[in-house]
Amino acid sequence: MAAVAHRPRVKAAGHFRHRQESAFARWLLTGVALAFVAAFLLLPLVIVFVQALEKGVAFYFQAILEPDALAAVRLTLLVAVISVPLNTLFGLAAAWCIAKFEFRGKSLLIALIDLPFSVSPVISGLVFILLFGLQGWFGAWLKAHDVEIIFAVPGIVLATMFVTFPFVARELIPLMEEQGKEEEEVAHSLGANGWQIFRRVTLPNVKWGLLYGVLLCNARAMGEFGAVSVVSGHIRGETNTMPLHVEILYNEYNFAGAFAVASLLALLAVVTLIAKSALEWRDERAAAARLKAPV
Amino acid sequence: MKIEIKSLSKSFGDFRALHDIDLTIESGELVTLLGPSGSGKTTLLRIIGGLESPDSGSVWFDGHDATERSARDRRVGFVFQHYALFRNMSVFDNVAFGLHVRPNRPSKKEIAERVDHLLALVQMRGFERRRPSQLSGGQRQRVALARALAVEPKVLLLDEPFGALDAQVRRELRRWLRHLHDEMNVTGVFVTHDQDEALEVADRVVVMNKGAIEQVGVPMEIYDKPATPFVYQFIGNVNRVPCVIAGGEARLGTLALPLNGVDAPDGTHATVFFRPHDLKLAPAGGANGIAATVRHISVLGANVRIDLAADNDLPLEAELPRVQFDELTLKQGDKVVVIPNDPKIFPGAAPATSTP
């Protein structure tokens, strides 16, 4: 499930209203857009649930509650629980230093943060094999010290973290840059220390953007396939995350089972979407309230 | 608190923001730093406040070297052009912020009393629970001022505080700030590029240009006795007429002006500066002066502005009281002689006009 990295910022609604297209053109454009959404987004989503429930509700729950499936759910949750908070921490730190300070190599850092977006997830996975695999740079050392990374949970966590690395930072950097650093400067001159400035001024100012970034990061962390597939080794009940488990079931022609597990992932997508819309709606209302306020 | 700035310099990359600045600000004084954008005034303010550190030189507070002191420990209050109110906090929390973050935080009751007192001072009582986004620009800036005053700063630093407000509110706040400052007994440094504002608000004005101080003085001195051509042009309107030095005098039309100690040898060029309201007009041929033609006459209430053209189409401007103008009975195309009352001669050709 690929997530979109940038939220369309709702500002000055009705800004384009002066460009009145003909009614026909408007209907045509709206129709085409809706048809695309239906064909490429809505239909697959419906099919996932239809297929999942094809053999009845009983089979559906049996497929979900089967031990290997449960293990996959557990592993996916574990990976998300580890990688999302760490990436949130990293994203906050990176956005803070990029938006609030000037230093050499800043643009390099921004480019590096984008790297996971521009590299195919398969390559990301391979990089970890090359580093920590048996034939890799640290492979021999790791084997000698009995540390398992590749084909084990640490490898999956690492690969997931790498792939979901930019989400929070990308969301926060433009927001923080837009807000500038005057509020922090004022707080500093009023006697606040670094932690007080962060907790009382910076964090509250970006909390919605942060939450949004975390949501996207979480969705991707749970849904990541490519990178995880390379490092996991596909050991049933041990190193299979939900997306990998879906693939295995599908390859075994267990379509209903595959779709049952897939429906859980799809459900996650829907929940994320609803949460995101709720956040945007709230944002919009706040913006409207600001507009209404006397200036 | 007395502030001393000693041979301060600061560069941003290749851009020299401040060059060898020396300045003393007396305790309780309100000083404005006046200059065009890029003159270094804001950088100087930020260095005084500890938000920027100088490349060389030092800042002294009451005789103690404060150059390395962090902004936290300087006891300065900042007010920015765009208010910089904490957008996620109410007006009350904004003003209370400096008290909340203190290591030995005052009691809730004390904070509430203090905030109430400050909001009364800035005439913002009753707005405690509003968000900054629900206030007008002038209201926001008054809250920002109350917030800065909450920590009882020794120095108040204002960076174009009224720059984003419309003219009416601006004039009101300016006067109000002047009163407030007189009551508070705090040292104030006020950055602006608006000459009227600088002259009205300040005890003393520091005119800055290209990272250096051009002149320091009380407002009247700055206006009446500009020390450099830059100050002359930046403060108020001015006529500039090129002239030649001959026989120890500046030759200007049929006038010969004494040099009064200006260092300009014979044969060099100089420029004569005089204010449009500080001159006399006479009919052509009647007196010694600069020959000119009347181009345009505009009546501005009690005064009349007359646009003139001297030789080589050099534009001149005269501003006369209505009574004087009526006696002259001038009309467009008339030939006149311009006689400056108190001209000032600066060696060298006239510098390019700067737009303040």
Side-chain angles (χ1 to χ4, degrees), chain B residues 77 257 323 332:
Chain B
L257 303 168
V323 188
Q332 211 167 325

Side-chain angles (χ1 to χ4, degrees), chain A residues 5 17 33 47 94 100 129 169 177 184 203 237 250 255 262:
Chain A
R17 209 166 279 164
I47 285 177
K100 309 285 179 185
I129 300 269
E177 278 181 340
E184 280 82 3
L203 193 59
Y250 187 82
F255 296 135

Side-chain angles (χ1 to χ4, degrees), chain A residues 183 185-186 191 196 205 293, chain B residues 46 72 86-88 101 133:
Chain A
E183 287 184 38
E185 287 177 343
V186 166
Q196 285 170 323
N205 279 354
Chain B
R46 290 173 63 86
R72 258 186 97 197
F86 304 128
R87 70 193 81 193
N88 64 75
V101 297
S133 56

